[in-house]
Amino acid sequence: MYKVRFNKEDYFPHQWDFLTSGQFQNKGKKKPSIVGLIAGFGSGKTHIFKCKVLNCLLTKKNKEGVSNGWVIYPTYDLADELFVEPFKELLDDINLPYTYNQAKHRFVTAAGNIKIYQLQKPQRIIGAELTFIGFDEFDVESWKNCDMAFKKSLGRMRGSEDCEMFIVSTPEGFSYCHKIFVTDDNDDRYLVKGKTTDNTYLPEAYVKLLESNYDENLLKAYRDGEFVNLSALSTYHTFNREKNVKEVKYNSKKPIHIGQDFNTDPLCAVLFQEYHEKPNIRVFKTYSLSHAGEGDLLTERLCEQIKQEYPNNTYYSYPDATGRSKHSSSAYSDIDILRRHFKVRVKHINPLVVNRVNAMNKALQDNMIIDPSCIDLINDLERVTNKPNTREIDKSNKTLTHLTDALGYSVEWLYPVKKPKLWSVDR
């Protein structure tokens, strides 16, 4: 029989609490059957998840004396990156024989078996009686898929007397983890929280990178491991008229940056200039052009109008990537037309909406002002909201979102918000 000794001094307090299912904090209470770890980036979630899986593999036995577990990630690619190879190393370290079938995503070991599934396709999660189930990065996936996977998993927790489900995630608003551990408030569940700053081995520069990349609301989630409202708030919740709306004067000596959103009607653009000192982004003009009649080429008209009003300048255009396929004429795409007039900066596909919104919120919090004449943009920033229980922008009001989308493409290009990687930090 294979045994592994886990030493308390080798783990951070929140890791040890999670690994031992809260038994030291829950003296006199029934041991929970569902344990969660909600923690910030870099807090050691990935490592302790692997240790928890190994512990369950060795201790959660069915009547045949072997364990039978599921490990569930948002995608197989993420499972391969975060779990499969590192878990092989753990098995090698304790000399536990195993085979791994890449096609079937299955570990077979002398102590028991582990089947890996992906949350993106919960309808394919099938199996027999299980002794343990582990979810990693649970809240990344949609509420619908989490709900289906969680309920299907609960129905399989009958392989032993001490079955356990454990869930690890960075908090993503009041998503499914909040429902499981806070809203439902069942006695069989135990929640552990951890912070990025609990990891005493992290370089100080990593925490500073987080703080420089995320707005205050997201820092509560991604650094402090707290459930915060990321969906019911207005989409651009850091916007404040008093702070962000101030007179902006056009400077003919500085290049013009143009964020553009392509729609059938209207065609929108936001013009700003970039400064070395804060506020870095200074928005001075917006356009919302509608078709004037048959044969009117909106993109061509917009370019000509900008150059006429602000002549003899350098222009950088940041268009919606869908402009590659939408056509203002039979011969040229919108981006082809832009390239005749401006220097175009465009990606092959648009950035994820959440990344664009995060970049906008960070810029609004830190380094953006908007001239009071940009009435429609200001209206957008105040009125655009997310769909309930999601971080998806509500586009049901056809008069909204166009100008904020346009500005967002340029802000995300110039000031992207990216999750810092440990290996990107100079030590």
Side-chain angles (χ1 to χ4, degrees):
M1 181 176 180
Y2 292 87
K3 291 185 178 180
V4 176
R5 181 177 178 83
F6 296 96
N7 299 309
K8 185 177 181 179
E9 58 270 21
D10 294 334
Y11 300 93
F12 305 125
H14 66 270
Q15 290 179 316
W16 184 251
D17 196 10
F18 174 71
L19 182 64
T20 59
S21 303
Q23 60 182 332
F24 293 97
Q25 285 73 19
N26 278 348
K27 290 181 180 179
K29 295 183 179 181
K30 178 183 176 181
K31 187 174 182 180
S33 57
I34 304 176
V35 181
L37 173 60
I38 301 299
F41 292 150
S43 57
K45 299 188 301 296
T46 300
H47 175 66
I48 201 61
F49 180 81
K50 297 192 297 283
C51 294
K52 184 77 168 179
V53 173
L54 179 60
N55 189 35
C56 288
L57 177 68
L58 299 176
T59 61
K60 302 293 183 182
K61 305 295 184 180
N62 58 23
K63 58 186 177 182
E64 281 79 35
V66 295
S67 61
N68 185 31
W70 286 349
V71 168
I72 305 175
Y73 275 83
T75 65
Y76 284 134
D77 286 343
L78 197 59
D80 289 339
E81 177 184 349
L82 299 181
F83 181 77
V84 173
E85 294 304 320
F87 194 70
K88 289 179 181 178
E89 294 178 7
L90 281 182
L91 297 178
D92 290 335
D93 287 343
I94 65 171
N95 297 313
L96 178 61
Y98 70 88
T99 59
Y100 180 67
N101 187 315
Q102 180 71 40
K104 295 183 178 181
H105 308 282
R106 184 189 299 274
F107 278 98
V108 176
T109 79
N113 306 318
I114 299 171
K115 171 68 175 177
I116 300 173
Y117 284 104
Q118 57 180 347
L119 264 175
Q120 283 192 350
K121 298 182 179 179
Q123 67 276 9
R124 297 185 180 180
I125 297 177
I126 56 174
E129 298 177 344
L130 302 173
T131 60
F132 70 91
I133 303 164
F135 290 90
D136 196 7
E137 293 298 347
F138 190 59
D139 269 353
V140 170
E141 195 47 58
S142 70
W143 181 285
K144 178 181 177 181
N145 288 349
C146 288
D147 184 60
M148 182 182 295
F150 179 71
K151 289 176 179 176
K152 292 185 76 168
S153 298
L154 280 179
R156 299 297 188 274
M157 289 178 61
R158 53 178 185 261
S160 66
E161 294 297 323
D162 62 345
C163 293
E164 186 172 8
M165 178 188 295
F166 46 97
I167 300 170
V168 170
S169 187
T170 305
E172 292 290 344
F174 296 139
S175 296
Y176 209 81
C177 279
H178 186 269
K179 176 187 183 302
I180 294 171
F181 295 106
V182 180
T183 304
D184 290 353
D185 192 28
N186 290 345
D187 292 338
D188 65 343
R189 302 174 188 186
Y190 182 72
L191 177 63
V192 181
K193 290 186 177 181
K195 299 180 179 180
T196 302
T197 49
D198 291 338
N199 185 346
T200 54
Y201 297 105
L202 279 178
E204 185 178 345
Y206 182 83
V207 178
K208 289 182 177 179
L209 272 175
L210 284 178
E211 292 171 348
S212 65
N213 272 277
Y214 293 102
D215 65 66
E216 292 176 1
N217 204 47
L218 286 174
L219 279 175
K220 291 177 184 177
Y222 296 158
R223 180 193 60 195
D224 300 337
E226 294 292 337
F227 293 113
V228 294
N229 197 333
L230 301 179
S231 60
L233 294 169
S234 63
T235 303
Y236 303 103
H237 58 269
T238 60
F239 174 73
N240 180 289
R241 272 185 180 258
E242 185 175 343
K243 175 183 177 181
N244 296 117
V245 179
K246 297 180 180 180
E247 183 180 1
V248 176
K249 292 185 178 181
Y250 166 64
N251 186 339
S252 61
K253 296 180 180 180
K254 283 188 169 292
I256 296 175
H257 299 272
I258 308 164
Q260 293 184 249
D261 183 46
F262 293 113
N263 297 284
T264 304
D265 195 351
L267 174 65
C268 294
V270 178
L271 277 58
F272 66 91
Q273 293 179 303
E274 192 179 20
Y275 288 74
H276 292 301
E277 68 277 6
K278 290 188 177 182
N280 305 78
I281 301 171
R282 304 183 188 184
V283 179
F284 62 90
K285 179 73 173 181
T286 64
Y287 293 89
S288 296
L289 301 186
S290 297
H291 280 286
E294 187 176 350
D296 179 31
L297 305 182
L298 276 180
T299 304
E300 186 73 39
R301 177 153 61 95
L302 174 67
C303 294
E304 294 291 352
Q305 190 167 336
I306 291 173
K307 291 168 67 176
Q308 182 178 350
E309 292 185 30
Y310 305 99
N312 304 317
N313 206 313
T314 301
Y315 313 89
Y316 294 99
S317 172
Y318 306 82
D320 174 357
T322 60
R324 296 181 185 278
S325 56
K326 294 182 179 179
H327 292 76
S328 293
S329 71
S330 59
Y332 301 101
S333 73
D334 288 312
I335 290 179
D336 289 334
I337 295 171
L338 289 177
R339 286 197 170 106
R340 296 183 197 162
H341 300 274
F342 307 142
K343 296 182 179 181
V344 175
R345 294 173 172 177
V346 63
K347 299 178 181 180
H348 180 66
I349 58 174
N350 284 328
L352 293 174
V353 172
V354 67
N355 291 344
R356 174 160 52 85
V357 171
N358 286 346
M360 281 282 288
N361 275 319
K362 181 62 178 173
L364 286 163
Q365 177 179 286
D366 289 348
N367 62 2
M368 184 192 296
I369 58 173
I370 301 162
D371 191 83
S373 64
C374 302
I375 297 171
D376 290 338
L377 173 60
I378 294 168
N379 183 57
D380 243 31
L381 289 165
E382 289 185 324
R383 294 182 59 194
V384 173
T385 61
N386 293 342
K387 292 181 179 179
N389 297 315
T390 75
R391 297 189 68 188
E392 182 181 350
I393 297 175
D394 184 352
K395 290 183 174 281
S396 58
N397 187 332
K398 301 303 181 183
T399 67
L400 297 177
T401 76
H402 308 306
L403 285 166
T404 44
D405 287 352
L407 180 57
Y409 296 125
S410 53
V411 171
E412 197 280 334
W413 180 288
L414 292 168
Y415 299 92
V417 172
K418 296 181 180 179
K419 176 184 174 182
K421 303 290 186 181
L422 280 174
W423 52 86
S424 71
V425 178
D426 293 333
R427 298 176 184 239

